[in-house]
Amino acid sequence: MTTIQQNLATVRQQIALAAQQCDRSPEEVQLLAVSKTKPVSAVQEAIDAGQRRFGENYVQEGVDKIQYFAASPFAAELEWHFIGPLQSNKSRSVAEHFHWIHTIDREKIASRLSEQRPTNMPPLNVLIQINISDEQSKSGISLDELPQLAAQISSLPNLVFRGLMTIPAPEKDPARQLAVFRQMTQAFNQLKADYPHIDTLSMGMTDDMSNAIRAGSTMVRIGTAIFGARNYG
Ligand SMILES: *Cc1c(COP(=O)(O)O)cnc(C)c1O
């Protein structure tokens, strides 16, 4: 087993443990392997260990990997999630290549993606990004703005609204961290009353995964714990 394969096994165990500790089934929590800045050889090791869902932050890097793995025997099983901030001028590449986007925070980018989604592809799965910690500099909308954006997205023909995503501010106090995640779960459950088909609450990264699962996350986005530290050199 390679280091990445060992890391993946450890992360899967941690997910299962966190789920069991709060009486959830481990299958309720999907693992998104965040491969940004990592070479295709690292992604291949994860694929060989059974990983199929990958998250990328940079459009061109993600498209390069998607195209590289289109020749893989596992191509049809792979699921590519765009999880970085998206500029309008790069939306077409996301619409033409990815399966999911987690960072929708305005109607304009959503309608562009819907228009640009090729008709021979299934609709693009989208999550609305919530700025739960209300940090001025971070992307995402406030919970107040959620009903309007959810309604706008749901009316777009080539998108499927799947749920919510958040990146909370780092929080040292585990009780406060848990409370922030629970606020997201509450908003997600409320939204389900109007959109019963939504099924994805994307929250939890390497440092806060267990608390996110305890609070109700259905998809954790894990980079460092699987692929090691990133070098942005
Ligand atoms: C980089 C990134 C992750 C992974 O973070 P780690 O701390 O390395 O697990 C998850 N989500 C988003 C949006 C990211 O940009």
Side-chain angles (χ1 to χ4, degrees), residues 99-174:
H99 301 92
W100 287 69
I101 176 164
H102 290 218
T103 49
I104 293 296
D105 60 1
R106 56 201 192 276
E107 198 273 337
K108 185 179 155 230
I109 200 99
S111 47
R112 276 179 76 96
L113 287 166
S114 182
E115 275 162 30
Q116 293 168 340
R117 184 68 165 175
T119 47
N120 64 346
M121 289 176 85
L124 181 65
N125 299 288
V126 309
L127 303 178
I128 294 178
Q129 182 173 359
I130 303 294
N131 183 352
I132 196 69
S133 313
D134 197 26
E135 296 164 279
Q136 293 301 320
S137 61
K138 283 263 176 77
S139 37
I141 60 165
S142 70
L143 289 176
D144 294 344
E145 300 167 285
L146 178 55
Q148 189 184 357
L149 187 56
Q152 287 166 337
I153 285 175
S154 299
S155 72
L156 294 170
N158 301 320
L159 306 184
V160 187
F161 180 38
R162 297 292 295 265
L164 304 179
M165 177 272 210
T166 197
I167 313 170
E171 173 60 75
K172 286 215 173 65
D173 176 1

Side-chain angles (χ1 to χ4, degrees), residues 34 36 57 83 165 167 205-206 221-224 230:
V34 177
K36 63 178 180 224
N57 286 59
I83 63 170
M165 177 272 210
I167 313 170
M205 308 180 14
T206 293
R221 309 177 307 266
I222 307 298
T224 309
R230 287 177 291 273

